[in-house]
Amino acid sequence: MSQTAKLELEGKTFEFPVIVGTEGEKGVDVRDLRARTGYITYDEAYGNTGSCQSRITFIDGEQGILRYRGYPIEELAEGSTFVQIAYLLIFGKLPTEPERQRFSDLLTDYQMIHEDMKFHFEGFPSGSHPMAMLSAMINAAGCFIPEVMNRYEPAIFERQAARLISQVRTLAAYAYRKSRGLPAIYPKRKYRYTQNFLHMMFSEPDEDYHLDPAVVDALDLIFLLHADHEQNCSTSTVRMVASSRANLFASAAAGVCALWGPLHGGANQAVIEMLEEIQIQGDDGSRFLERVKQRDGHAKLMGFGHRVYKNFDPRARIIKKACDVMLDKMGIHDPLLDIAKKLEETALNDPYFVERKLYPNVDFYSGIILKAIGIPSEMFTVIFAIGRMPGWIANYKEVIESSDSRIYRPRQIYQGEIQRPYVPIEER
Ligand code: CMC
């Protein structure tokens, strides 16, 4: 028999159905709560609110489990590539070789942005943050594709998704080149996804960048590990915008803005800045941790803690290992890595972090890899955005294709002034 939940309000009992997910997660279905009782639920920051039923990504934060479409992240990280994972997330199945080839060919076909987009880039002052440029330029890119502005059509969605995944990489590289006053570098058909990004970032018109396989693999892994993470702040933003039936490019541009903040995707930049600050102070991290615990200046251990994970973030384990492997292959010794490892060890044994179940998250070690590759810290969150794009697209598709999807529109408990008469300006 299906389970129900009983709620007692003003002496009356109401029953609500319980929804059980395929992994056993339970939720009380309160969709008709207000209509039946006059009450709403209050859940600031949505810590207990399921905003949708989704088939894309599963997380068990207590056990530190992450699966894309049912596949454990550890197995995907070991045996797959970012492009295959993008296909998996968006279309729900691992691509066969012909499907992968077709999707890769689409990515190649769409890698060039419209030449007029260069004039848009020229309008930004030098030193503009690449995340600001990326968000604006994704929206602008949509203007060059009339079909994007039309109603959602399943038949052309693969093309639109491929165009966005491919062009976000070109736009990101151009944003970096613009922020440094460097000439834009065009993509090359012969390169695969991640190779092409590195080429557009670091080649010069008179000299091609040397593509080190260790670097290509590490960056591809970073993209893959960021590809989706269920209903986080930016993905919820994308779903919110999509629910109004805004187009794919507008919804993704909104996702970039949500990702930018230091409590979300901006944390990878903040981690490196924190580690550099600790290094400059000649601290081994212990003085900094004391400041965090004393809440001195609201200091936080960036790259630690997560709304959902109350255990190790499985992505952090994979990235930490990849970081060691890549630095070793490149023969780099980065003192920031030593500080990060010491911070992690100390924090994991400190009652403040233990009691609050604060563990390293995906951002704690990713910045050290990106820094070793030569990617400047203001580009770290852009890298996160390139990686997260397939997840945003998959969630956009899920919203648009859902037969019972309505515009997202939360309610509130009003706590402002009660009704009062207007006072003319001369009487105030
Ligand atoms: N350093 C010190 N204290 C922390 C930290 C931290 N990194 N994270 C949480 N806490 C404390 C927090 O002050 C609170 O303490 P108390 O209960 O005494 O007030 C307690 O732990 C619970 O934290 P919270 O802020 O209520 O947790 P939240 O779920 O609202 O926030 C978070 C989650 C990720 C925003 C937060 O842990 C944080 O700010 N971490 C640092 C930023 C960061 O690394 N963000 C990247 C997240 S992973 C990538 C992504 O998906 O975006």
Side-chain angles (χ1 to χ4, degrees), residues 229 232 259 262-268 271 292 295 299-308 310 313 315 352-353 356 358 361-363 384 388:
H229 212 237
N232 55 82
L259 186 73
L263 297 189
H264 191 10
N268 52 15
V271 169
V292 169
R295 315 231 163 173
K300 272 188 168 176
L301 179 54
M302 300 311 284
F304 253 68
H306 200 277
R307 172 62 60 80
V308 179
K310 301 301 166 199
D313 177 339
R315 302 168 301 173
Y352 174 95
F353 295 91
R356 290 171 177 77
L358 301 171
N361 60 47
V362 67
D363 291 318
F384 194 151
R388 185 53 55 87

Side-chain angles (χ1 to χ4, degrees), residues 194-213:
T194 302
Q195 293 176 325
N196 232 334
F197 175 66
L198 286 163
H199 156 71
M200 286 189 281
M201 285 281 293
F202 297 125
S203 284
E204 294 301 337
D206 56 354
E207 189 167 22
D208 272 358
Y209 169 75
H210 167 67
L211 290 163
D212 180 338

Side-chain angles (χ1 to χ4, degrees), residues 121-389:
F121 273 110
E122 277 170 22
F124 288 102
S126 61
S128 298
H129 198 288
M131 282 297 272
M133 285 192 259
L134 188 67
S135 165
M137 297 307 272
I138 288 174
N139 231 332
C143 302
F144 290 86
I145 318 156
E147 69 175 35
V148 164
M149 301 295 161
N150 299 338
R151 277 191 58 237
Y152 170 76
E153 278 179 52
I156 58 166
F157 192 75
E158 186 182 17
R159 281 210 317 259
Q160 288 189 1
R163 195 189 278 268
L164 185 49
I165 291 172
S166 187
Q167 293 197 350
V168 68
R169 167 191 57 166
T170 311
L171 294 171
Y174 276 31
Y176 163 70
R177 306 280 304 177
K178 165 69 194 173
S179 72
R180 295 288 162 112
L182 299 167
I185 301 292
Y186 291 104
K188 285 190 176 172
R189 293 190 79 84
K190 68 175 178 179
Y191 289 142
R192 305 191 75 169
Y193 190 88
T194 302
Q195 293 176 325
N196 232 334
F197 175 66
L198 286 163
H199 156 71
M200 286 189 281
M201 285 281 293
F202 297 125
S203 284
E204 294 301 337
D206 56 354
E207 189 167 22
D208 272 358
Y209 169 75
H210 167 67
L211 290 163
D212 180 338
V215 168
V216 176
D217 289 351
L219 187 57
D220 200 76
L221 178 71
I222 287 186
F223 288 151
L224 182 157
L225 292 175
H226 285 85
D228 195 40
H229 212 237
E230 56 119 295
Q231 303 313 313
N232 55 82
C233 177
S234 56
T235 303
S236 298
T237 301
V238 170
R239 288 186 82 112
M240 170 77 83
V241 179
S243 79
S244 78
R245 303 296 180 266
N247 71 66
L248 176 65
F249 280 54
S251 305
V256 172
C257 293
L259 186 73
W260 192 358
L263 297 189
H264 191 10
N268 52 15
Q269 178 174 348
V271 169
I272 288 292
E273 286 163 3
M274 172 187 79
L275 295 175
E276 285 170 348
E277 186 59 33
I278 291 172
Q279 189 186 28
I280 289 167
Q281 303 289 328
D283 179 12
D284 65 350
S286 30
R287 272 187 282 145
F288 176 77
L289 282 183
E290 278 315 307
R291 277 186 51 213
V292 169
K293 292 193 290 179
Q294 303 302 323
R295 315 231 163 173
D296 179 3
H298 302 289
K300 272 188 168 176
L301 179 54
M302 300 311 284
F304 253 68
H306 200 277
R307 172 62 60 80
V308 179
Y309 292 119
K310 301 301 166 199
N311 199 327
F312 265 93
D313 177 339
R315 302 168 301 173
R317 284 189 204 272
I318 300 169
I319 286 195
K320 183 180 179 186
K321 200 167 137 211
C323 187
D324 277 333
V325 170
M326 196 198 80
L327 295 195
D328 199 43
K329 277 192 190 158
M330 293 176 82
I332 294 177
H333 174 81
D334 187 345
L336 294 190
L337 181 60
D338 299 336
I339 297 176
K341 284 185 174 170
K342 177 85 195 314
L343 273 176
E344 177 188 346
E345 193 193 322
T346 314
L348 290 177
N349 289 299
D350 188 303
Y352 174 95
F353 295 91
V354 174
E355 280 158 20
R356 290 171 177 77
K357 298 192 173 138
L358 301 171
Y359 291 85
N361 60 47
V362 67
D363 291 318
F364 197 63
Y365 287 104
S366 61
I368 294 172
I369 297 185
L370 296 176
K371 180 169 166 273
I373 293 175
I375 292 172
S377 62
E378 74 271 16
M379 279 294 286
F380 289 4
T381 316
V382 171
I383 301 290
F384 194 151
I386 298 173
R388 185 53 55 87
M389 193 54 77

